């Protein structure tokens, strides 16, 4: 199996070559297929067969297979794909009222355009930054990188976001998750710890006062003893 | 009578283990363990935060922006201020006492963490995280180290080693931090860290001033007990040291402690009891005390300290890289590091315990470890396979742990507890220079020679150079004694 990444129109040649250890197989029938559709192939050399393709649009992308039928059946697959977009695995954590920056990168290939979508229920709604300019800012930092800045976060902004890169030969999406927390969320453990600290301070303080009192009592007794001795 | 009292005080940390000695002695021993516990926590927190800074690094870069170099400045300021701020902290410590300084330190670190949650730019973070945290760490560390030296007189090396083993636990903090960041984001994590650091406040309260024990010991002190309680810790500390140095001179006839200080103080005491504290106040050092810089013993110690720190930092940085260049997988390389870490911890405890047995002067052990460590480093280039590298790592960790555990006890032996603050402050300052300069120097060595072999040879050479100064120690002590006798002459006559 092989994955081939294409971002713009190209002519490609896919060839299947039979390994020498199989050359004993006779009467081989070779078929090149895309799905159910058979494609005419060229017998380049004695043990290799290839097809030539002109990829102009998305319709020609997909999986191509070459099958050799003889005593055994051997096949190989080629996957023609648009470039993958890198989103983020872990959710981005941000707080209410803050600004969140979501970054999408295209690996190696330059997309024609970027579009951002937010998920509302099961629908994907495109984010229009000119319409909601004080909420969303979309920046194309470089040819391969796009930033979506969301200002004044609220809990409603929590959810899944998609960045879509448009290539000549198709579109590709990257997934990002945004988590918006209210300020109370980390504040609770913090206050719990502060309470514990205050309690500990109190305990140490009380113990000190108690032991000082004990010392004083012991001191007074000792002084009394010494005075008696003298 | 008083000398016996002094001796009894010596045995407190040991008696505490039995827990059977009556009332106050058990309490005093208990406080000593409390101090060790606090020092342990300080090590865990300080080292933990310094090491996990790398995890925050990525989060900062993404959110606050700024180039990788700018963000790494925060980390460098933090770790270098911890050392470089020590002289200033020593001054504060002597003025206010250890406990307030420690609480201030904890407050600084906690406050710095909380302030950083509001950060919006790298310079802001530099100050809020770098400066505040760095100074806070320096305060905490200095107060805890000196208090340990003051409290645990007989078992200093072992207590120091126990406290230092806190550094070994820091490997737990990294995954914990990552977990927090995944849950709460870096701001929430800093908030929670601020809270955790505030826990050092009650443990700082365990750093009780040593003076409150003293009045019960001697009848001579009873009259000015009232005034003693009111006076500052530093002076009463001088008073309490009279007895302890007396006791020490009895116990440790083998070691030549600051006998000059002891002699001077005993003469002062013969003059009059109650008037002792006031004269001590005049005699005690000016606020920013530069006298360590002129003391040959200090030079000896700092020379050794500087080079041994250089020898310590460099191999740690380059061990993994060297393993990789030899073709060892990164899993095995990180295994090397963890084994080295555990070995170091164990070796610290052992070395501390052995040193406390007082079979010979502590710095002899120190010298031995350094020399052996240096030889190990010089032999490292011969280690080209994984088992050999593992042997090197274990050996290096053993010797490193050994000499690291003894740094504080050796300093205490050389200069005594009274002046420990200023000495430790300046020593830490010079160590800070080594810490700041060490990694770039190592990196430069690698770039220049294109092999890591050189860094290990360099580290070995440093480790061998550093104990040389200790050979001058006996003659330096004699010089000091002569000088003190010359100074004393006019006053007695």
């Amino acid at each position: 199996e092989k994955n081939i990444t294409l971002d713009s129109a190209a002519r490609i040649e896919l060839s299947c070559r039979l390994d020498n250890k199989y050359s004993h197989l006779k009467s081989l029938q070779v078929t090149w297929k895309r799905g159910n559709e058979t494609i005419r192939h060229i017998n380049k050399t004695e043990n290799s067969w290839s097809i030539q393709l002109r990829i102009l649009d998305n319709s020609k992308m997909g999986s191509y297979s070459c099958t050799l039928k003889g005593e055994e059946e051997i096949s190989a697959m080629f996957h023609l794909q648009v470039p993958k977009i890198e989103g983020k695995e872990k959710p981005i954590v941000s707080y209410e009222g803050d600004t969140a920056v979501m970054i999408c990168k295209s690996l190696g290939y330059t997309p024609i355009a970027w579009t951002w979508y937010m998920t509302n229920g099961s629908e994907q709604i495109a984010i229009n930054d000119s319409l909601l300019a004080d909420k969303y800012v979309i920046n194309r930092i470089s040819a391969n990188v796009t930033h979506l800045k969301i200002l004044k976060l609220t809990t409603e902004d929590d959810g899944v976001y998609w960045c879509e890169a448009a290539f000549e030969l198709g579109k590709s999406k990257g997934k990002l998750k945004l988590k918006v927390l209210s300020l109370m969320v980390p504040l609770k453990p913090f206050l719990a710890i502060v309470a514990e600290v205050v309690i500990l301070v109190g305990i140490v303080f009380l113990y000190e006062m108690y032991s000082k009192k004990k010392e004083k009592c012991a001191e007074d007794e000792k002084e009394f003893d010494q005075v008696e001795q003298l | 009578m008083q000398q016996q009292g002094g001796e009894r005080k010596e045995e407190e940390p040991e008696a505490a283990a039995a827990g059977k000695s009556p009332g106050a002695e058990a309490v005093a021993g208990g406080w000593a363990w409390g101090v060790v516990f606090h020092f342990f926590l300080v090590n865990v927190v300080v080292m933990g935060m310094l090491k996990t800074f790398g995890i925050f690094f990525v989060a900062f870069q993404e959110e606050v922006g700024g180039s990788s170099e700018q963000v790494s400045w925060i980390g460098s300021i933090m770790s270098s201020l911890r050392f470089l701020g020590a002289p200033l902290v020593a001054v504060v410590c002597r003025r206010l006492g250890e406990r307030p300084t420690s609480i201030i330190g904890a407050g600084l670190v906690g406050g710095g963490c909380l302030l950083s949650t509001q950060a919006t730019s790298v310079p802001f973070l530099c100050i809020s995280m770098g400066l505040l945290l760095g100074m806070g760490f320096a305060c905490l560390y200095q107060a805890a180290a000196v208090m340990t030296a003051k409290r645990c007189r007989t078992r200093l090396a072992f207590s120091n080693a126990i406290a230092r083993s806190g550094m070994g636990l820091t490997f737990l903090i990294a995954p914990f931090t990552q977990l927090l960041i995944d849950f709460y984001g870096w701001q929430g994590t800093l908030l929670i860290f601020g809270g955790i650091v505030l826990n050092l406040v009650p443990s700082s309260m365990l750093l009780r001033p040593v003076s409150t024990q003293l009045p019960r010991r001697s009848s001579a002190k009873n009259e000015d007990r009232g005034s003693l309680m009111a006076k500052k810790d530093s002076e009463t500390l001088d008073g309490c040291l009279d007895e302890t140095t007396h006791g020490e001179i009895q116990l440790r006839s083998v070691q030549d402690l600051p006998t000059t200080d002891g002699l001077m103080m005993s003469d002062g005491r013969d003059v009059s009891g109650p008037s002792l504290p006031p004269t001590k106040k005049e005699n005690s050092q000016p606020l920013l005390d530069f006298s360590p810089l002129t003391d040959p013993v200090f030079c000896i110690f700092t020379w050794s300290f500087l080079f041994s720190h250089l020898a310590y930092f460099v191999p740690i940085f380059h061990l993994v890289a060297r393993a990789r260049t030899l073709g060892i997988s990164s899993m095995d390389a990180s295994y090397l590091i963890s084994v080295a870490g555990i070995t170091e911890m164990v070796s610290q405890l052992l070395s501390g315990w052995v040193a406390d047995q007082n079979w010979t002067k502590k710095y002899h052990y120190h010298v031995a470890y350094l020399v052996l460590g240096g030889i190990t480093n010089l032999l490292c280039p011969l280690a080209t396979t994984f088992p050999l590298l593992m042997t090197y790592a274990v050996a290096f960790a053993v010797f490193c742990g050994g000499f690291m555990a003894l740094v504080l006890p050796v300093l205490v032996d050389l200069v005594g507890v009274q002046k420990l603050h200023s000495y430790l402050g300046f020593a830490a300052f010079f160590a800070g220079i080594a810490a700041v300069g060490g990694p770039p120097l190592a990196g430069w060595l690698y770039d220049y020679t294109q092999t890591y072999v050189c860094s290990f040879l360099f580290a070995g050479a440093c480790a061998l150079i550093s104990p040389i100064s200790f050979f001058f120690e006996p003659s330096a002590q004699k010089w000091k004694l002569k000088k003190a006798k010359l100074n004393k002459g006019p006053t007695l006559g």
Side-chain angles (χ1 to χ4, degrees), chain B residues 303-318:
Chain B
W303 168 276
S304 147
F305 196 37
L306 195 85
F307 282 105
S308 57
H309 256 74
L310 273 176
Y312 176 66
F313 279 126
V314 170
I316 290 189
F317 271 109
H318 287 181

Side-chain angles (χ1 to χ4, degrees), chain B residues 314-338:
Chain B
V314 170
I316 290 189
F317 271 109
H318 287 181
L319 186 62
V320 176
R322 172 131 175 94
R324 297 272 283 284
T325 53
L326 289 174
I328 299 172
S329 74
S330 51
M331 266 304 279
D332 289 338
S334 53
Y335 189 55
L336 267 180
I337 299 278
S338 11

Side-chain angles (χ1 to χ4, degrees), chain B residues 354-406:
Chain B
V354 163
D356 276 330
Q357 301 308 309
N358 273 327
W359 293 325
T360 170
K361 288 194 208 175
K362 292 206 174 91
Y363 72 82
H364 289 320
Y365 292 115
H366 198 73
V367 167
Y369 287 127
L370 280 170
V371 168
L372 288 170
I375 297 178
T376 318
N377 266 321
L378 289 178
L379 290 177
C380 173
L382 297 176
T384 45
T385 63
F386 184 65
L388 281 178
L389 211 54
M390 180 65 95
T391 326
Y392 160 76
V394 168
F396 182 67
V398 165
F399 298 130
C400 252
F403 86 72
M404 275 307 199
L406 291 180

